[in-house]
Amino acid sequence: MATRWPGVTPYSPISAAAAKLAVAERGTGQGRERERGRVSAKCQHYPPVRALQASAVLRRVSDEHKKEPFTPSSQQQFDTHPAGHQPEQEPQGPRPSYTGQGGQESEDYESEEQLQRRILTAALEFVPEHGWTTEAIAEGAKTLGLSVAAAGMFHSDGSELILHFVSECNAKLSELLEKEQKLVQLGEAEKKPTDEFLRDAVEARLRMLIPYIEKWPQALSVLLLPRNIPSGLSLLTSMIDDIWHYAGDQSTDFNWYTRRAVLTGIYNTTELVMLQDSSPDFEDTWRFLENRVADAMNMSSTASQVQSTGEAVVQGLMGAAVTIRNLAGLNQRR
Amino acid sequence: PAGGAAPRPCSTQAAPQGINKPVIDRIIRVDHAGEYGANRIYAGQMAVLGRSSVGPVIQQMWNQEKVHLKKFNELMVAYRVRPTVLLPFWNVAGFVLGAGSALLGKKGAMACTVAVEESISDHYNNQIRTLMEEDPEKYKELLQVIKQFRDDEREHHDIGIEHDAEATPAYSVLKTAIQLGCKAAIFLSERI
């Protein structure tokens, strides 16, 4: 149930090129020269050897690849999906734009996106050992029965692997919160107070990092690369929005922004504390989290106290002014 | 919708699946901002002209705008739409516009009403057209709401005309200026 992230699609040229090569090799002589020409135009940013490796992978996956002309445009279609796109709204099957010219699809047809996701999910198992690198992706591809050349489909700094991991964690968190909410609606569980809800949600999400905690600093630094900032940021904002939504936030004014900004701060600082925490089961981190959430609650109650005090002061001053006016006789109508 | 007495009405099932999220987002965000602004404009007008002879008329129009705002608050939560970040600004700007136009007299306030309501009904018509082009069946409920509100705003416009809005000094200048401001507000609220 991974969410798509906008902006991360440098591979349509490769995959389009690779798939074109795969088909061109099978195609008629007439089409061949034209397709090669198109392929080399699109390959200008990437070494051609990657295209061949990728085509080897793609050929292994499915015999009937008919999607090449549509891949670039469908990738662009994915780009326009907004950041806050709900996981539940992802179509489950292959996208209709992939139907080939004949309008036929094979039974076990798998889109490139789905293949990439499968490889990355398999690669996560090897991350604690190899880090967020091409080696982990290659190992993952091996477990799926694909050639290690499949790792050539991805960037060498592991960006896609990390983004995939983050979006998988966010999807898991949404599922968890949805389940909890159903229990409350059915009356089988108590509604949690807001601070406890936020604490539990952030803790649940951060616990997903525990198996990868050794390599997580590396992941964070990759996420800060300019190329990855839009996607990373949109994943973060949609996660925070999800947590507030399930916490029951219904604000439609500027509070909407304040709350999300505060929770983002809490999440990020707790994440950083977690990276340096060596206490058993990260107790120190959860205590830090509890204190920050309590601070946030205090802040909001302090803000409303300040406002009501201010209003009371203004009323007092108005009352004093009216009294003085009356005493000075300025209120008389002559 | 989430259902009758849900303890915490924040289910994601409230928003229907398969909608064109970016388009609906924009529509609801800008309409919410518009109704919020309209509320503040009437509040400003009431602050100045509340005790005059047009006070009850303005109050009645203001009450209708409050109903509109409430509806958009509900839609905003149901579709999980982000409110525009410019809300505090529209808060002040709306009040200033309302109070300012009211200081020009009763006719001035009515002229402001006419200008704003005309902008808003054009804007709602555009949205209705957009939604009809997309899929009238899928967006039936939203279309109904917008059509109803457009009719209400038209009514306000007509009330303004009835109360001699056009007799305001510099009526066309005032009207053009206000409508330009409305267009800018709509443009910004859709995006930010």
Side-chain angles (χ1 to χ4, degrees):
Chain A
M1 258 239 284
T3 46
R4 182 153 294 106
W5 50 85
V8 182
T9 54
Y11 308 102
S12 53
I14 292 183
S15 47
K20 273 197 209 304
L21 269 178
V23 168
E25 278 158 55
R26 270 173 298 191
T28 65
Q30 285 164 343
R32 208 169 290 174
E33 286 312 308
R34 224 183 326 129
E35 301 219 36
R36 289 268 165 79
R38 248 182 287 157
V39 159
S40 52
K42 284 191 160 76
C43 260
Q44 52 196 322
H45 300 294
Y46 302 92
V49 74
R50 282 201 184 193
L52 288 169
Q53 288 171 337
S55 80
V57 168
L58 290 168
R59 238 178 298 159
R60 273 222 216 188
V61 169
S62 160
D63 287 328
E64 298 183 55
H65 261 270
K66 288 185 185 154
K67 62 174 170 38
E68 335 60 71
F70 299 95
T71 313
S73 58
S74 60
Q75 290 289 50
Q76 277 152 26
Q77 223 179 330
F78 302 158
D79 279 352
T80 61
H81 280 202
H85 201 64
Q86 293 303 307
E88 305 91 87
Q89 290 175 3
E90 292 284 301
Q92 293 308 314
R95 295 195 176 259
S97 55
Y98 284 126
T99 48
Q101 286 104 340
Q104 283 151 355
E105 294 174 329
S106 63
E107 284 290 306
D108 53 288
Y109 186 86
E110 187 187 33
S111 78
E112 182 194 327
E113 287 264 339
Q114 289 174 321
L115 171 65
Q116 285 186 345
R117 252 180 268 154
R118 275 206 309 143
I119 297 178
L120 292 177
T121 310
L124 286 177
E125 196 188 323
F126 301 95
V127 164
E129 191 189 331
H130 296 280
W132 307 93
T133 58
T134 322
E135 283 87 51
I137 303 181
E139 294 289 323
K142 268 205 311 226
T143 59
L144 290 179
L146 300 168
S147 106
V148 300
M153 269 201 279
F154 305 100
H155 247 90
S156 56
D157 56 8
S159 298
E160 291 91 339
L161 184 56
I162 299 171
L163 288 168
H164 172 80
F165 172 67
V166 171
S167 96
E168 288 283 307
C169 287
N170 291 355
K172 260 189 270 175
L173 179 68
S174 297
E175 250 180 71
L176 182 68
L177 293 176
E178 179 75 37
K179 258 189 254 166
E180 261 183 42
Q181 187 194 49
K182 280 213 171 67
L183 288 179
V184 172
Q185 280 179 344
L186 294 173
E188 289 171 20
E190 285 297 310
K191 185 168 99 161
K192 286 190 215 164
T194 312
D195 58 344
E196 192 185 324
F197 185 92
L198 297 178
R199 236 188 304 140
D200 288 346
V202 173
E203 183 179 332
R205 176 62 179 79
L206 287 175
R207 277 189 183 275
M208 299 181 198
L209 297 179
I210 292 181
Y212 308 92
I213 197 80
E214 301 287 314
K215 309 285 180 185
W216 194 244
Q218 178 201 354
L220 283 182
S221 64
V222 168
L223 280 176
L224 285 174
L225 290 175
R227 185 171 23 98
N228 293 328
I229 286 184
S231 331
L233 213 52
S234 87
L235 282 170
L236 177 65
T237 52
S238 63
M239 184 230 334
I240 299 285
D241 180 47
D242 254 358
I243 296 181
W244 266 120
H245 170 83
Y246 285 105
D249 175 43
Q250 301 202 312
S251 45
T252 53
D253 53 2
F254 203 73
N255 265 330
W256 192 97
Y257 290 93
T258 324
R259 289 181 182 179
R260 279 152 185 77
V262 165
L263 187 58
T264 310
I266 294 177
Y267 179 84
N268 284 338
T269 49
T270 312
E271 192 180 21
L272 291 175
V273 164
M274 192 175 172
L275 291 179
Q276 303 157 352
D277 191 3
S278 50
S279 58
D281 194 37
F282 299 95
E283 292 169 348
D284 289 349
T285 307
W286 311 134
R287 205 170 322 125
F288 177 87
L289 174 61
E290 195 180 328
N291 290 338
R292 294 292 78 71
V293 170
D295 284 348
M297 298 290 126
N298 275 343
M299 199 168 60
S300 72
S301 74
T302 309
S304 53
Q305 273 176 2
V306 165
Q307 198 187 13
S308 48
T309 309
E311 279 168 13
V313 166
V314 165
Q315 292 223 343
L317 289 174
M318 297 285 279
V322 167
T323 312
I324 294 175
R325 245 177 48 185
N326 288 344
L327 290 175
L330 292 169
N331 223 12
Q332 309 286 358
R333 283 189 178 276
R334 264 163 258 253
Chain B
R8 201 162 20 203
C10 58
S11 163
T12 41
Q13 270 86 39
Q17 313 291 349
I19 58 167
N20 186 343
K21 194 94 189 359
V23 167
I24 299 297
D25 255 18
R26 273 195 176 185
I27 287 181
I28 295 185
R29 178 163 47 247
V30 73
D31 288 350
H32 175 262
E35 295 300 342
Y36 184 78
N39 258 271
R40 296 302 295 155
I41 292 177
Y42 283 123
Q45 290 186 342
M46 279 303 283
V48 175
L49 290 173
R51 265 169 268 165
S52 71
S53 59
V54 294
V57 178
I58 301 179
Q59 180 66 49
Q60 193 222 6
M61 293 197 283
W62 190 12
N63 291 340
Q64 278 184 308
E65 298 294 350
K66 286 185 193 161
V67 169
H68 290 187
L69 182 62
K70 187 152 166 281
K71 182 67 186 170
F72 275 116
N73 279 337
E74 287 166 17
L75 286 175
M76 191 163 249
V77 173
Y79 285 90
R80 288 184 64 174
V81 175
R82 163 182 75 87
T84 168
V85 78
L86 296 168
L87 275 181
F89 183 68
W90 300 143
N91 186 354
V92 174
F95 193 88
V96 165
L97 176 62
S101 64
L103 286 171
L104 293 174
K106 296 181 212 156
K107 298 205 198 88
M110 288 301 152
C112 170
T113 301
V114 164
V116 170
E117 300 295 4
E118 192 177 308
S119 278
I120 291 191
S121 19
D122 282 344
H123 164 71
Y124 277 151
N125 277 333
N126 289 339
Q127 290 189 338
I128 291 171
R129 230 169 285 142
T130 308
L131 287 176
M132 296 290 267
E133 276 165 12
E134 287 266 327
D135 189 345
E137 277 313 303
K138 220 194 290 178
Y139 303 119
K140 197 152 63 151
E141 192 211 331
L142 190 56
L143 268 173
Q144 223 172 330
V145 169
I146 298 183
K147 279 186 191 155
Q148 170 66 42
F149 289 3
R150 184 220 32 211
D151 294 340
D152 289 346
E153 308 294 1
R154 254 322 331 150
E155 203 189 305
H156 293 179
H157 171 271
D158 295 339
I159 292 177
I161 299 277
E162 264 171 50
H163 282 83
D164 298 328
E166 283 159 336
T168 321
Y171 172 67
S172 48
V173 176
L174 190 63
K175 183 167 174 221
T176 316
I178 294 177
Q179 292 195 323
L180 220 62
C182 284
K183 279 206 190 75
I186 289 173
F187 180 83
L188 288 173
S189 299
E190 274 180 344
R191 287 155 184 81
I192 317 183

